[in-house]
Amino acid sequence: MRKRAWLRAAVAVVGLCQIAPAWAQLSGDKLKVGVLTDQSSIYSDIAGKGSAVAAKLAIEDFGKTVLGRPIELVVADHQAKVDVGASVAREMFGRDGVDAIIDITHSAVSLAVQEVARDANRIVLHVGSAHADLYGSACSPNGALWLYDTYTLANGMSRALVGEGADTWFFVTADYAFGHSMQAQMTRIVGELGGKVLGSVRHPISSSDFSSYLLQAQASGAKVIGLANAAGDTANAIKQAGEFGITQGGQKLAALIFYIQTAKAIGPERGQGLQFLTGYYWDRDAASRNFAKRFQAEMGGAMPSQIQAGTYSATLHYLRSVAAAGTDDAGAVMKAMRASPVNDFFAEGAMLRADGRLMKDLFLAEMKKPSEVKGPWDLLTIVRRLPAAEIIRPIDQGGCKLVQK
């Protein structure tokens, strides 16, 4: 009898050991997903609360638990300041026990947080940040770039416009890491295509008066005025360019990074015909419309930006990868993230490269004419799809030390 009892106990212990990893492989009593983004400054409309809502929807769609433990969303504001962002990231990883930080939407903050995450051995998934060094010289085994980058945007836009004869450029550039990188990439590619940059001027973030910058651009005689800025700065520059009659005088405006919120702020009267690259548009297909409908319900009618849609995608793929890896260990999760394609409305079948770049297609979009608009957010037409392999920097050209030569 004693022998049978011992055998039954042994079998029970073995059974517990077999199911224990579902509980034992998380480092805490829950998985903590962090959204670190601009909640209070220039990028709050295109990221901000909407990025947190997008991550929340992804957690709900995944099922709210992973490996038998609850998933908690931790949201923080970096205030568009590098020192604040790095400090908050340390607190999120250390004090709060966050396993992964997602979004950021500020290139300089992303570069700083990438190093914080590297030191903490935690994961960071950059969505709205665009500095190409994030998967180049500053690449990290625990970092990924999910949406666009300066090389990709510059490559796609310059080839489209220079190919149409727009071969002289002047840049109005935001004076921070994203703007500098975008201008440098565009200058290089325009030159390679036989074009010429006639000049440039830098402006501080959140500028309200672009008159002096636009007058310099107008006086240059350049065929294209490239706006190497984003969000409210782009909107203000386009509005004021209309006041100076710049496009009426024959010069073309090129928005190097653009969002549905900016299109709505400008309106079809001023923005009609403006072309730009985007990773998501709410009316592209049924799946995109379904996400937009749910997002609107949470956001009081606002449509999701490409950043907010990308935050959903990055969050969902991260959670799927934690489940596949059976652990929240950063190295194991990143391996799982690279092993399986991303499959959602944002990125169908996209793979994550060894350097941390998601091979995500982009779309060439054009703002509709006023006569074509049928609703408040019916602002864009998708012109064509641009395959990732044609516009994203080749893996052997970025200088990432993770890539074997």
Side-chain angles (χ1 to χ4, degrees):
M1 292 292 292
R2 289 181 179 176
K3 185 175 182 180
R4 289 197 190 113
W6 181 87
L7 285 172
R8 284 196 298 270
V11 170
V13 169
V14 170
L16 286 172
C17 290
Q18 289 175 338
I19 65 172
W23 290 87
Q25 298 304 307
L26 290 183
S27 56
D29 60 353
K30 61 184 68 174
L31 184 76
K32 293 189 176 183
V33 176
V35 170
L36 175 61
T37 190
D38 183 359
Q39 298 277 340
S40 55
S41 186
I42 187 173
Y43 304 123
S44 58
D45 286 344
I46 59 174
K49 178 184 176 182
S51 287
V53 166
K56 172 179 171 286
L57 292 174
I59 291 170
E60 290 176 357
D61 288 350
F62 183 77
K64 299 183 181 180
T65 65
V66 62
L67 301 178
R69 302 284 181 90
I71 303 167
E72 179 181 333
L73 179 63
V74 179
V75 181
D77 182 9
H78 57 55
Q79 302 173 35
K81 299 176 181 177
V82 176
D83 56 342
V84 172
S87 177
V88 171
R90 291 189 190 95
E91 291 180 356
M92 293 176 77
F93 289 139
R95 180 194 65 194
D96 300 330
V98 166
D99 296 284
I101 286 176
I102 302 173
D103 186 16
I104 302 181
T105 304
H106 190 292
S107 291
V109 175
S110 269
L111 289 166
V113 172
Q114 182 112 304
E115 296 310 306
V116 174
R118 190 198 307 270
D119 293 343
N121 193 30
R122 303 291 174 87
I123 287 173
V124 57
L125 307 178
H126 312 276
V127 182
S129 303
H131 206 300
D133 282 355
L134 289 166
Y135 70 105
S137 60
C139 70
S140 166
N142 296 344
L145 187 62
W146 216 254
L147 176 51
Y148 45 51
D149 67 87
T150 48
Y151 180 100
T152 303
L153 294 170
N155 193 23
M157 285 300 295
S158 59
R159 291 183 184 281
L161 293 177
V162 174
E164 296 175 356
D167 55 0
T168 56
W169 291 66
F170 186 100
F171 291 102
V172 176
T173 302
D175 193 9
Y176 74 117
F178 161 75
H180 301 169
S181 181
M182 177 61 79
Q183 181 183 325
Q185 297 283 2
M186 288 290 292
T187 299
R188 179 182 61 80
I189 296 171
V190 167
E192 289 176 356
L193 295 173
K196 186 177 181 181
V197 175
L198 302 183
S200 65
V201 62
R202 293 180 177 179
H203 69 83
I205 296 177
S206 300
S207 294
S208 59
D209 185 2
F210 281 82
S211 57
S212 65
Y213 313 123
L214 291 170
L215 287 172
Q216 291 181 60
Q218 188 176 41
S220 74
K223 295 178 182 177
V224 182
I225 298 173
L227 302 176
N229 49 26
D233 284 335
T234 306
N236 287 336
I238 293 174
K239 289 176 182 177
Q240 292 174 36
E243 296 171 5
F244 288 113
I246 286 178
T247 55
Q248 294 91 325
Q251 290 176 296
K252 181 176 292 188
L253 289 178
L256 305 185
I257 191 166
F258 204 71
Y259 308 94
I260 186 72
Q261 287 81 0
T262 318
K264 193 170 188 300
I266 294 168
E269 285 287 349
R270 291 190 179 100
Q272 58 183 303
L274 180 73
Q275 289 189 335
F276 59 95
L277 302 185
T278 185
Y280 167 84
Y281 178 51
W282 71 270
D283 201 24
R284 183 176 70 87
D285 56 21
S288 299
R289 286 189 288 272
N290 180 58
F291 171 72
K293 183 178 179 180
R294 295 171 61 208
F295 183 91
Q296 276 191 304
E298 297 273 354
M299 290 290 292
M303 280 293 180
S305 70
Q306 56 179 318
I307 294 171
Q308 292 155 346
T311 298
Y312 173 96
S313 174
T315 303
L316 185 60
H317 191 63
Y318 170 72
L319 295 175
R320 288 172 174 171
S321 300
V322 170
T327 177
D328 59 359
D329 174 75
V333 174
M334 289 301 298
K335 183 177 180 180
M337 291 184 73
R338 293 187 177 96
S340 299
V342 178
N343 275 313
D344 53 41
F345 66 86
F346 178 80
E348 306 97 332
M351 298 298 297
L352 185 63
R353 294 193 317 198
D355 60 354
R357 185 63 167 96
L358 182 68
M359 294 302 287
K360 153 85 174 122
D361 296 346
L362 295 181
F363 302 92
L364 180 64
E366 181 173 299
M367 282 193 68
K368 291 182 175 182
K369 299 176 182 178
S371 60
E372 299 171 332
V373 173
K374 299 177 181 178
W377 294 94
D378 179 34
L379 299 169
L380 307 179
T381 297
I382 297 299
V383 178
R384 65 177 181 270
R385 189 176 193 131
L386 303 175
E390 296 180 8
I391 57 176
I392 294 176
R393 183 176 61 200
I395 194 170
D396 60 348
Q397 294 181 15
C400 176
K401 296 181 180 178
L402 302 175
V403 179
Q404 294 183 350
K405 300 295 184 180

